[in-house]
Structure formats: C-alpha cells, structure tokens
Amino acid sequence: MTVYVDNPARLGESRLSDGRLLGWAEWGPLDGVPVLLCPGAATSRWLGFGAGVVEALGVRLVSVDRPGLGASTPAPGRTFSDFAGDIRQLCALRGLGHPAVVGNSQGAPFALACAEEGVASVLAVVSGADEVAAPEFASALAADLRGLVERTACDPVGAEEFFAGFTADAMWGMVMDGSPGCDLAVYQDPDFAAVYRRALDEGFVQGAAGYARDTVLSMGRWPFALDKITVPVEIWYGEQDTSHSPDNGALLATRMPGAHHRVVPGTGGALLWTHSELILTSLLAKATTDR
C-alpha cells in the first residue's frame, strides 16, 4: 500500500519582528537539506508530502501556514512581497539559509515571490496555479473562471468578500468534483483524505479571510518580473491536470530563462504526492544552501 503523507515530526510557531506568529511543520532530519513548501489553497502546515522519501533523501521539509491560515497570525492587505519577507525572517529564525522552495497549487505564486526576492536557492513549481489573469489566457478560460478573473480585476475588494464565504467543506467538494480519476485514487485514499481534511479544517480555523486574500492575489495579475528570476526553476504538471493551468505551464516556462518544463504522463494534480521522490531528487540535484 502506498503511503502518500505522514504526520509532521515537529510543529511550532515562530514570532516575527512585528509580533505576528508564523506556523510551521517539519519532516525529516533537523540537519537535512532545507526544502520549504508553500502549500496549496486553504491547506495548513499539516499537509506535507514525500512520506518516507524525505528521510531517505536527507531532506528537512518545512511547510508554512500563510498569514490567516492555520496557526499563522492574519495580516490583512498583505502582498506577495510581504510573504517573501515573512519567509526570509523564518529562514533566519529556523536556520534554513536559502532553502529550496516548492510551490504547490495556489502556493505557486508565493513560491515565485520567494524566488524573485532572493529567498530561494532553487524553485520547483508543482501543479502550480498559473497566472490566469495573463492576457494570453483570456480566450482559453472556462466561462465561470473567466468571470471570477474579471471580477477580481474590476472589484478586488468585492471579490475578496466573495471568497471569504468559502468553507473547508466547499473546498473539499470543489477538489473532488474537479479531479480526474487518477487524482481521486490519491485524494480518496482513507489515510490521505484524513490528513487533507484536517489540513483544510485547520486552514479555515480562523475563518476564510486568509484563503480569500491568497485567492485574490493569485487570481489577479502577478507583480513579478519572472524574467529576472535567476535561480534554477523546475515546472511540473501532470498530463491529466485540468484545474491548475490552461496549458500545463508551457507559457509560464517561457517566461523564466532556463526553466525546465516537465509534463508527466498518466497523472494529474496529485503529482506532488505520486511523484515525490522524482521531484525531490531533481530539486536536490540543483539545490544550494548556505546553512
């Protein structure tokens, strides 16, 4: 039986310079190579990846609650740059140096912010939420998604209020309804489902404002100079992934010089859990740290 996730080895909160707390979870050896995870939409630090693999590869995996989610103090009006600043502080406080960074699903643009601002030494975007507001995608979006993108552009405050009405149950239902069978085999695995549901429940423990802010930031135009990102970048999508990017990251890869684009046959948006060893092995081959 495949084990996709396991419980964290360590849980904690670190106090930032402005007094806010940033919640984190860790797996693997304390002296391992730091790999920082920016988790997907509305999920807390509890949902890691690479069960058994992080230990075997000597990885210190760190998952972080974004502000307003899980154990992290809310920061209304925060930006991508604010998040990168938080992670820079966390790296100093936890002795992570310049870690490898993984951005999964809605965590992808937050990971890109870390790469652009020099926090990351190497970046993997895995089943990343793409910049759906990019003009190149205008004609490729489904009508309901296009409507949300337009609403976010025209009325970001109203859009944030709308997304603040979401719940953990609604998120679970949206994922189940929008996933191909290859992903459902992972998501509906009893052990995985229990951890995923716990991560969603914790993601909404302070309400939906944290998720709403993440979504407005992710669904709007990104402020990044992607062509200025100089660290090694790997972009991973499953061939059957229909929910994260209109073109499975092809355009995104062209916007970052030297980015390596991989599309994996026979899998979808659950790629982070089905191909953990491949992703981490490739990432470690490129990683540099200053621990």
Side-chain angles (χ1 to χ4, degrees):
M1 175 177 159
T2 302
V3 179
Y4 298 106
V5 289
D6 52 15
N7 289 335
R10 297 171 292 278
L11 287 171
E13 296 87 36
S14 293
R15 190 169 297 279
L16 304 178
S17 59
D18 63 359
R20 287 182 297 117
L21 293 175
L22 209 61
W24 49 263
E26 293 189 358
W27 296 256
L30 266 173
D31 61 351
V33 178
V35 175
L36 188 137
L37 172 64
C38 297
T43 54
S44 77
R45 56 187 172 168
W46 268 84
L47 186 59
F49 71 100
V53 174
V54 294
E55 292 82 3
L57 293 178
V59 167
R60 179 186 177 187
L61 178 66
V62 184
S63 181
V64 182
D65 288 339
R66 289 188 289 277
L69 277 68
S72 291
T73 308
R78 60 187 164 86
T79 65
F80 285 120
S81 184
D82 291 335
F83 175 77
D86 288 350
I87 297 302
R88 189 186 303 278
Q89 286 193 56
L90 180 70
C91 289
L93 292 167
R94 297 291 300 158
L96 303 178
H98 287 85
V101 174
V102 176
N104 176 240
S105 188
Q106 195 174 79
F110 295 93
L112 285 165
C114 291
E116 187 200 36
E117 299 210 9
V119 178
S121 62
V122 58
L123 172 66
V125 172
V126 184
S127 307
D130 211 335
E131 187 182 9
V132 290
E136 293 89 344
F137 290 146
S139 62
L141 303 181
D144 55 348
L145 177 56
R146 185 169 61 249
L148 288 173
V149 169
E150 292 172 353
R151 180 175 185 174
T152 300
C154 296
D155 181 16
V157 173
E160 194 162 341
E161 291 173 353
F162 168 74
F163 292 123
F166 276 59
T167 64
D169 286 342
M171 290 297 298
W172 173 259
M174 188 167 62
V175 171
M176 294 303 105
D177 291 344
S179 297
C182 59
D183 287 342
L184 292 176
V186 178
Y187 299 150
Q188 294 177 349
D189 173 87
D191 292 334
F192 185 92
V195 177
Y196 195 178
R197 289 304 304 260
R198 175 172 183 165
L200 283 173
D201 288 342
E202 290 198 349
F204 283 97
V205 73
Q206 301 184 69
Y211 162 73
R213 186 60 185 166
D214 282 355
T215 304
V216 165
L217 288 172
S218 301
M219 200 165 280
R221 291 306 310 269
W222 295 351
F224 316 130
L226 293 177
D227 60 340
K228 303 300 183 185
I229 292 177
T230 58
V231 301
V233 178
E234 294 205 325
I235 297 175
W236 297 81
Y237 284 89
E239 183 183 35
Q240 297 183 39
D241 186 349
T242 59
S243 59
H244 290 107
S245 169
D247 64 358
N248 274 353
L251 175 63
L252 182 62
T254 67
R255 298 172 66 188
M256 288 179 279
H260 188 190
H261 183 214
R262 302 190 185 200
V263 178
V264 181
T267 191
L271 186 65
L272 183 67
W273 297 282
T274 59
H275 289 69
S276 300
E277 185 170 8
L278 180 62
I279 292 166
L280 283 172
T281 300
S282 182
L283 190 67
L284 291 178
K286 296 179 170 62
T288 59
T289 68
D290 63 353
R291 290 178 293 154

